[in-house]
Amino acid sequence: KVDDLKAKARRLDKIRQDLDQLQTTLGQLDKSEQALARRKQAGDDLQKEASLLESNQSQLEHDIADLTGKVHLLETETGAKCPLCEGDLTPEGLQLIRSKYVAERESKTAALQSTGDQLAQRKKDIDAVKGELEQAEANLKRQRGTVEGGIAVLKRELAEAQDAEKQIAELQEKIAEVEQRLTRQDFAVK
């Protein structure tokens, strides 16, 4: 029994070193989780950008439909009046207004295409970030479980080693007491 206790007590320094190392690793995992939280925030920001792009896309589609309706109206209406002076519009005036509407529609169509491209890229970025986050979260969770399990085992072993050290001290005290009695030749049982 004494040899077992001594073996446990000798491991005390190694257990403390291993425990310190795992505590350091746990601190590194905390930093990794903070970095992951920042990455999640970046993903949320991408999602907000995508939502804004979708809103812009919807507005552009509405504007294009409105302009298309106005161009159609100008092409089919006769006797159109100027909204400012309420005078009859000349064919040149109608053509000028029509060309402005067509140019604005083309501009908005180009903006719609650009917005669609940006939205598609944001969605790809969001999907990539989600995949990275899921993998990183699973990896961190696994690592944390391993480290925390190791810490629990080492704390138990540390407690056992400290207890073994205490028992050895108590046994040494008893041995010293017995040796003193032997030296004094005091054989009475106490």
Side-chain angles (χ1 to χ4, degrees), residues 123-187:
K123 287 183 176 183
K124 284 180 186 176
D125 294 345
I126 289 167
D127 289 343
V129 167
K130 280 182 181 179
E132 289 172 18
L133 288 175
E134 287 173 3
Q135 186 176 6
E137 284 175 336
N139 190 26
L140 274 174
K141 185 176 180 181
R142 181 186 49 75
Q143 287 178 344
R144 181 171 286 283
T146 300
V147 169
E148 287 176 345
I151 288 172
V153 167
L154 287 175
K155 282 184 177 180
R156 182 178 34 80
E157 288 179 8
L158 180 65
E160 289 173 0
Q162 289 170 332
D163 187 50
E165 206 173 50
K166 182 180 172 186
Q167 288 179 27
I168 289 171
E170 289 171 359
L171 287 173
Q172 286 174 337
E173 192 177 302
K174 286 181 183 179
I175 290 171
E177 191 179 300
V178 169
E179 285 176 349
Q180 281 180 352
R181 280 198 266 150
L182 287 174
T183 305
R184 290 188 312 242
Q185 295 182 350
D186 181 11
F187 300 112

Side-chain angles (χ1 to χ4, degrees), residues 85-110:
C85 67
E86 297 188 14
D88 288 338
L89 286 174
T90 63
E92 294 82 20
L94 284 172
Q95 183 58 32
L96 177 65
I97 293 171
R98 183 187 171 285
S99 64
K100 285 183 181 181
Y101 284 159
V102 168
E104 187 176 349
R105 182 178 62 188
E106 288 172 0
S107 170
K108 290 193 183 265
T109 300

Side-chain angles (χ1 to χ4, degrees), residues 24-128:
T24 300
T25 302
L26 193 59
Q28 292 168 344
L29 288 176
D30 288 340
K31 288 179 183 177
S32 294
E33 285 177 345
Q34 291 169 357
L36 187 63
R38 288 189 297 274
R39 188 72 176 128
K40 276 185 180 180
Q41 182 59 48
D44 291 346
D45 292 345
L46 282 174
Q47 187 61 51
K48 288 175 187 174
E49 285 180 34
S51 294
L52 182 61
L53 287 169
E54 286 174 342
S55 175
N56 289 346
Q57 189 177 35
S58 177
Q59 182 62 45
L60 286 168
E61 288 169 349
H62 177 274
D63 291 348
I64 290 169
D66 187 44
L67 288 168
T68 300
K70 288 178 181 180
V71 168
H72 178 71
L73 187 64
L74 286 173
E75 290 172 346
T76 58
E77 278 291 313
T78 55
K81 302 239 182 237
C82 174
L84 297 176
C85 67
E86 297 188 14
D88 288 338
L89 286 174
T90 63
E92 294 82 20
L94 284 172
Q95 183 58 32
L96 177 65
I97 293 171
R98 183 187 171 285
S99 64
K100 285 183 181 181
Y101 284 159
V102 168
E104 187 176 349
R105 182 178 62 188
E106 288 172 0
S107 170
K108 290 193 183 265
T109 300
L112 179 63
Q113 179 62 42
S114 174
T115 300
D117 293 345
Q118 290 175 13
L119 181 59
Q121 184 59 49
R122 289 302 175 281
K123 287 183 176 183
K124 284 180 186 176
D125 294 345
I126 289 167
D127 289 343

